Amino acid sequence: MSEPAERARLADAPTADAPWRLWGPYLAGRQWGTVREDYSAHGDAWGYFPFDAARSRTYRWGEDGIAGICDRHGFLNLALALWNGRDEILKERLFGVSNHEGNHGEDVKEYWWVLDGTPTHSWMQVLYRYPQAAFPYHDLRARAAEARRDEREPELADTGVLAENRFFDVTVSYAKAAPDDICVEITAVNHGPEPAPLHLLPQLWFRNTWSWGRDARRPALIASTAGGWARVVAEHSRLGRYTLHADGTPTMLVTDNETDAVELYGAAANPSRYTKSGIDNHVVRGVPDSCQVVPPGTASQPGTKAAAWYHFPAVLPGEAVTVRLRLIAGAGHGSAFGPTFVSTMDDRGREADEFYAGLPAADGPEETRVMRRALAGLLWTKQIYRFRLRHWLDGDPASPPAPGERRLAYARNVHWRHLDVADVLSMPDEWEYPWFAAWDLAFHMLPFALVDPAFAKEQLLLLCREWMMHPNGQLPAYEWSFGDVNPPVHAWASLQVYRAEQAATGTGDRVFLARVFHKLLLNFSWWVNNKDADGNYLFEGGFLGMDNIGPVNRSARLPEGWWFEQSDATSWMATYSLHLMQIALELARVDEAYEDVATKFVEHFLSIAQVSAQFGSASRGIWDERDGFCYDLVSRHRPDGGVESRPVRVRSMVGLIPLLACAPLERWVFEELPGFAGRLNYLLRHQPEFGQFIAWRTGPDGRRALLSLLDEDKLRRVLHRMLDEAEFLSPHGIRSMSAAHRDGLAVEIAGQHHGVGYEPGESHTPMFGGNSNWRGPVWFPCNALLVEALYELDAFHGGAFTVELPTGSGRSRPLGAVAAELSRRLAALFLPGTDGRRPADGKRVEAGDSPLWSDHLTFSEYFDGDTGEGLGATHQTGWTALVAVLLVGWPGHRHR
């Protein structure tokens, strides 16, 4: 039986620069409002480059568009623009309110869904829903401004513009005939009750690289209708020549990707006759001479942005109109829309079906559909990320000097001058988070390992490369503050990707494992040297990605003399030690040099475990015997020279993270690595107090061990709370804060009283922008970590360790069954319930009876801890794509 075509393409594309990876969905969904485009003195990214300026002002570091693609360098871009005859501007990019405009932070106000896709992007489909009425920009802003924090976010459907299905569904399909030959089909269907006009303007343009005084080379686009076929020829010094063919007889428009300084700043003249908004001005506003209009049978003068303008005066109800394009390397040809176009579209769709049929199987058709949509969305959120920090900090030669405040010691990212990125990265979200985040990306790689292990490995290595990792070993967190701290999950993700590939192919990539291990040694040292202020193995880390989970901002300084010692930071470091130990042990099987460093990490774990359990700065650990739970500590120096520590008695995810710090030592460790085994025995003889963190099982074929931060008694007590439906266990997964805090509670921190309480939905606090909430909702990343840890614990105990599920039910289940049940609850968010509705749809318009809405899945950032409704960013098929892994079973535990 022949290998599926997409599998063969993947085999031909093992590296990021492989031909089949040259073109993809690498164009951002939003470039305005990002730190990269912010050249203000004090870091007001949303205010410095707002949505309203994007139509007329060039971007410095990237581009954005609707349902668009670009080359992996981000030079040449192809995306869809639309006009319904009523909008005040051409619809070229997705609209949303900025951080200070939204009642729960930034929020996109559009509807679109990724329908399908393959890992080499040989096949991609996206659906964009476009209103037939004027897009209600002002109404949406007004509603967002009026809404309180305890109210739902106003959405586009709330304005009434989509009533009676008065919208076009515009499906954009991409199929590669070859790595540099892309067929494009755009089909718009009128779902409204009346005929409606529609303008479709697919646009091809170059990113502006020539206006900044660093590279004067200027690419060129020339549009032509000569010879009876409409086309745009694009010439670029690096890409060479590409030709975009446009089927039929569209009007060809050409302008320049240049800022309209006259419109924006009242300048006397523009540096270029035509500007970025030229096509918009011509089509929507009827401004004469705002762009080149190519007469039939002629060609334009060179420009840098072009559009093929298709006008459908009245699309009938239920009618579909279609536009076809083909982007081909070279000069193109007159038969672009011949038989090969149709066959390419058909073949790539069929080959996508074959590819997904070859993946591990989900349980049923609905589960399979959820899995495929999740993976398609994950694949779509790849983005070219360009950012050269030293140029951003200093400013460009052809631009005004950068404000001096940008280079002050405390200014944003000033200590990251080395960062110099021009790579395709997996983003958390297309619009709300169009920039990488370190721990998000690590979680993305697990579902990526299902479809594209090579990309998963490349991404994990990428964050560790010298142009991203700080020279001191810190991994960059995210562009708003590269020096912030995300949980150290990189080693865990690397192990999972290694094991997933090993399970699928029978061979693990030890070279990858060694490369990432060597870099993570630097990162581990950074943590030890920077986040353990007293050198006592109790760690700080700040918010650690869990935004507002605490009563106060854990990244902010406490009053003089006080400091945090964090349950989660300490537990993350214990877990990090174990994961690096496991990697070292795996590498030691073929290279004995790694055996010693494996010993180093087991010692480090045991030291952290000992301190956590028995003494902190004031002889108090993160474990609280009274409550049977783990808490953050707030400590201070007493006048007598001693130290006083108090637990912050808030039961939240920070107290569940210790459960993750567990790792088995399999039989082969003691058989193949006697040096490691001997050192471990030595430690236990001379420091017998370490023995409480190691459990042993001996069978006829040898002995096994389990290293764990929580012994069996503590584990049972933590699980008792975690699996209590009145506390952490939701019908939809594990809540990030105990529901026992529904009525709120007051806690004292550094002599001040603070209130905090269970909030199952959107955040009621503006902490960290207010656009995410860790005070009760269900989040996929930590739930996935808990699921994997429970499977590991169950595998060690052989199913003999049982707990009540749920607590108080009288029904005992082995830990593997608990993991499977959590997976089921999480996956069920996207599956129809007994009422036929998906919990994740909640009260949103997708929950309606119309299949025009209910047929489409939205993968949100997090989920209401009580109802399961999706909240936060609406296209978070970054870490929420972990549902694909949960649906097919955790790697290594699929048959348990």
Side-chain angles (χ1 to χ4, degrees):
M1 186 175 179
S2 61
E3 184 178 36
E6 180 64 11
R7 286 283 174 201
R9 284 188 285 268
L10 275 174
D12 289 340
T15 60
D17 58 355
W20 278 105
R21 299 185 188 270
L22 174 60
W23 288 90
Y26 311 141
L27 181 66
R30 175 175 63 84
Q31 186 71 13
W32 61 273
T34 61
V35 170
R36 280 159 288 164
E37 302 300 334
D38 175 21
Y39 283 77
S40 66
H42 301 291
D44 180 14
W46 290 106
Y48 181 80
F49 203 135
F51 173 84
D52 293 336
R55 65 180 289 275
S56 307
R57 181 169 156 188
T58 53
Y59 297 124
R60 173 65 178 89
W61 296 100
E63 294 290 336
D64 57 21
I66 296 173
I69 63 171
C70 69
D71 66 274
R72 67 175 303 273
H73 310 290
F75 293 131
L76 186 59
N77 309 274
L78 174 64
L80 177 64
L82 314 93
W83 190 48
N84 55 21
R86 297 181 174 88
D87 281 352
E88 60 192 64
I89 60 173
L90 196 65
K91 174 56 71 174
E92 296 179 280
R93 56 188 51 81
L94 301 168
F95 170 73
V97 294
S98 63
N99 199 35
H100 62 275
E101 293 175 315
N103 62 324
H104 293 291
E106 61 265 28
D107 181 44
V108 67
K109 305 297 186 184
E110 307 253 18
Y111 295 104
W112 78 101
W113 298 273
V114 180
L115 303 180
D116 207 4
T118 54
T120 66
H121 310 301
S122 60
W123 172 250
M124 298 174 281
Q125 274 193 322
V126 179
L127 170 62
Y128 174 69
R129 183 153 287 170
Y130 185 44
Q132 294 171 2
F135 198 91
Y137 295 106
H138 306 290
D139 188 14
L140 285 166
R141 280 184 168 136
R143 287 170 181 262
E146 293 167 359
R148 302 188 307 269
R149 282 208 174 270
D150 60 352
E151 295 179 319
R152 300 172 63 83
E153 287 179 332
E155 303 294 355
L156 179 60
D158 299 329
T159 67
V161 300
L162 303 175
E164 300 181 275
N165 297 333
R166 293 180 183 272
F167 51 77
F168 289 98
D169 270 354
V170 186
T171 302
V172 183
S173 303
Y174 295 94
K176 292 182 183 178
D180 52 7
D181 182 352
I182 307 167
C183 301
V184 188
E185 190 169 80
I186 304 168
T187 299
V189 180
N190 178 5
H191 287 298
E194 299 169 356
L198 180 63
H199 302 253
L200 295 175
L201 295 95
Q203 298 188 125
L204 187 73
W205 74 100
F206 284 112
R207 181 172 70 88
N208 188 319
T209 56
W210 56 89
S211 294
W212 319 107
R214 296 188 181 277
D215 187 347
R217 292 175 296 175
R218 188 184 183 100
L221 300 172
I222 297 177
S224 171
T225 55
W229 32 297
R231 61 197 180 277
V232 180
V233 177
E235 295 276 3
H236 188 274
S237 58
R238 179 162 182 174
L239 289 178
R241 174 179 291 177
Y242 273 84
T243 300
L244 177 68
H245 294 273
D247 197 15
T249 56
T251 301
M252 305 302 290
L253 308 174
V254 177
T255 189
D256 283 314
N257 188 11
E258 298 275 9
T259 295
D260 189 342
V262 173
E263 177 186 298
L264 289 173
Y265 313 121
N270 286 316
S272 177
R273 178 178 178 182
Y274 302 116
T275 66
K276 181 178 179 179
S277 55
I279 293 171
D280 184 335
N281 288 334
H282 176 76
V283 173
V284 177
R285 305 183 184 188
V287 177
D289 197 32
S290 62
C291 68
Q292 298 182 62
V293 182
V294 183
T298 66
S300 71
Q301 293 299 309
T304 48
K305 180 179 178 181
W309 180 13
Y310 294 87
H311 180 203
F312 303 96
V315 183
L316 298 175
E319 182 184 7
V321 294
T322 297
V323 166
R324 299 192 300 174
L325 310 166
R326 192 162 183 174
L327 182 64
I328 310 174
H333 53 79
S335 59
F337 303 106
T340 60
F341 186 96
V342 176
S343 64
T344 297
M345 282 287 176
D346 292 343
D347 290 347
R348 297 301 172 264
R350 175 182 50 78
E351 290 162 3
D353 292 339
E354 293 173 351
F355 173 77
Y356 281 102
L359 297 183
D363 284 342
E366 281 292 336
E367 289 83 354
T368 299
R369 181 168 172 268
V370 171
M371 176 182 171
R372 184 159 172 175
R373 284 288 187 98
L375 292 171
L378 179 72
L379 290 164
W380 184 264
T381 50
K382 291 181 184 180
Q383 181 185 312
I384 175 67
Y385 188 86
R386 283 185 171 271
F387 205 8
R388 181 166 287 174
L389 254 292
R390 60 186 183 276
H391 289 176
W392 180 79
L393 289 166
D394 298 339
D396 294 311
S399 301
E405 294 89 339
R406 294 166 62 83
R407 296 185 295 280
L408 295 175
Y410 57 81
R412 173 175 289 156
N413 295 332
V414 70
H415 300 297
W416 288 77
R417 293 182 67 88
H418 76 283
L419 194 137
D420 188 358
V421 192
D423 295 283
V424 172
L425 288 162
S426 178
M427 301 299 172
D429 173 86
E430 187 176 359
W431 190 91
E432 193 163 315
Y433 303 102
W435 30 262
F436 75 91
W439 81 312
D440 292 64
L441 183 142
F443 288 112
H444 302 177
M445 294 310 113
L446 274 72
F448 259 118
L450 284 172
V451 292
D452 192 354
F455 181 80
K457 292 183 289 185
E458 181 265 336
Q459 290 284 285
L460 290 166
L461 287 166
L462 188 55
L463 255 65
C464 298
R465 296 303 300 271
E466 59 274 15
W467 56 86
M468 294 196 74
M469 176 183 271
H470 197 282
N472 66 15
Q474 186 179 9
L475 293 180
Y478 47 85
E479 75 173 26
W480 285 88
S481 179
F482 288 126
D484 229 329
V485 184
N486 279 175
V489 293
H490 222 72
W492 175 81
S494 300
L495 264 175
Q496 298 302 318
V497 169
Y498 172 84
R499 290 169 176 170
E501 187 176 31
Q502 187 178 47
T505 66
T507 304
D509 187 348
R510 283 194 172 89
V511 173
F512 154 72
L513 209 56
R515 290 178 67 194
V516 76
F517 178 75
H518 292 158
K519 289 301 185 76
L520 292 181
L521 290 176
L522 301 175
N523 182 244
F524 186 87
S525 297
W526 177 86
W527 271 91
V528 170
N529 293 328
N530 288 272
K531 294 301 177 181
D532 180 11
D534 287 348
N536 63 358
Y537 295 99
L538 287 175
F539 288 80
E540 317 91 46
F543 83 115
L544 283 174
M546 297 188 203
D547 295 19
N548 65 347
I549 200 165
V552 298
N553 180 351
R554 297 189 300 164
S555 291
R557 286 185 178 274
L558 293 177
E560 186 66 29
W562 294 85
W563 67 93
F564 267 120
E565 291 171 316
Q566 293 178 219
S567 169
D568 52 340
T570 301
S571 304
W572 284 124
M573 283 302 290
T575 307
Y576 197 3
S577 300
L578 291 177
H579 292 148
L580 288 175
M581 176 202 74
Q582 289 177 298
I583 293 175
L585 290 173
E586 182 66 27
L587 295 171
R589 302 184 79 172
V590 295
D591 186 343
E592 63 182 14
Y594 289 97
E595 200 166 353
D596 289 344
V597 76
T599 300
K600 176 262 182 293
F601 285 113
V602 76
E603 290 192 52
H604 210 108
F605 163 77
L606 291 170
S607 297
I608 294 173
Q610 178 70 5
V611 168
S612 299
Q614 293 189 5
F615 62 91
S617 296
S619 299
R620 179 190 290 277
I622 59 175
W623 174 258
D624 187 83
E625 182 62 26
R626 187 192 81 178
D627 291 354
F629 203 69
C630 295
Y631 295 120
D632 286 346
L633 299 175
V634 177
S635 303
R636 73 181 180 97
H637 293 291
R638 295 196 310 261
D640 63 5
V643 175
E644 171 190 347
S645 291
R646 297 178 183 174
V648 182
R649 295 185 184 277
V650 178
R651 291 198 292 279
S652 72
M653 185 62 72
V654 304
L656 299 181
I657 300 302
L659 192 153
L660 306 179
C662 62
L665 296 175
E666 301 294 350
R667 297 178 183 89
W668 62 262
V669 173
F670 302 101
E671 295 169 356
E672 299 178 26
L673 306 174
F676 174 86
R679 179 61 183 167
L680 182 60
N681 288 332
Y682 177 89
L683 282 173
L684 295 178
R685 284 197 309 272
H686 290 82
Q687 292 180 267
E689 65 274 14
F690 284 163
Q692 64 183 304
F693 307 109
I694 305 180
W696 298 90
R697 294 182 69 86
T698 303
D701 52 351
R703 64 174 182 164
R704 302 167 64 235
L706 178 74
L707 298 165
S708 179
L709 199 61
L710 302 177
D711 61 27
E712 290 193 18
D713 177 65
K714 292 175 181 175
L715 178 61
R716 286 189 184 280
R717 296 183 69 185
V718 171
L719 290 175
H720 182 86
R721 292 196 182 276
M722 190 181 91
L723 301 178
D724 186 342
E725 292 178 318
E727 290 218 35
F728 287 98
L729 182 60
S730 158
H732 316 289
I734 300 300
R735 300 175 173 109
S736 49
M737 183 174 286
S738 171
H741 299 323
R742 284 185 190 275
D743 296 330
L745 73 159
V747 294
E748 181 182 330
I749 296 177
Q752 299 176 354
H753 291 278
H754 300 270
V756 67
Y758 173 71
E759 299 174 9
E762 297 279 14
S763 174
H764 291 175
T765 170
M767 195 186 299
F768 291 93
N771 58 311
S772 65
N773 181 27
W774 283 84
R775 295 182 176 180
V778 171
W779 290 77
F780 261 75
C782 288
N783 270 263
L785 287 163
L786 290 167
V787 166
E788 193 267 339
L790 289 169
Y791 273 129
E792 286 280 24
L793 290 165
D794 184 64
F796 174 76
H797 290 287
F801 192 113
T802 62
V803 293
E804 279 189 310
L805 179 66
T807 296
S809 67
R811 297 189 297 271
S812 293
R813 307 284 295 277
L815 296 181
V818 176
E821 174 61 15
L822 291 181
S823 297
R824 186 198 65 77
R825 293 187 184 212
L826 290 159
L829 284 162
F830 307 101
L831 299 171
T834 55
D835 61 355
R837 302 183 188 280
R838 294 182 293 260
D841 289 342
K843 296 180 180 179
R844 298 199 311 263
V845 65
E846 290 94 332
D849 294 328
S850 170
L852 291 175
W853 292 101
S854 61
D855 279 356
H856 298 301
L857 293 156
T858 300
F859 296 89
S860 297
E861 183 181 4
Y862 55 98
F863 301 85
D864 189 289
D866 291 339
T867 68
E869 179 175 359
L871 301 168
T874 54
H875 288 71
Q876 195 93 354
T877 38
W879 60 26
T880 303
L882 284 162
V883 68
V885 179
L886 300 176
L887 280 166
V888 300
W890 205 267
H893 302 282
R894 285 180 180 144
H895 304 295
R896 291 188 179 275

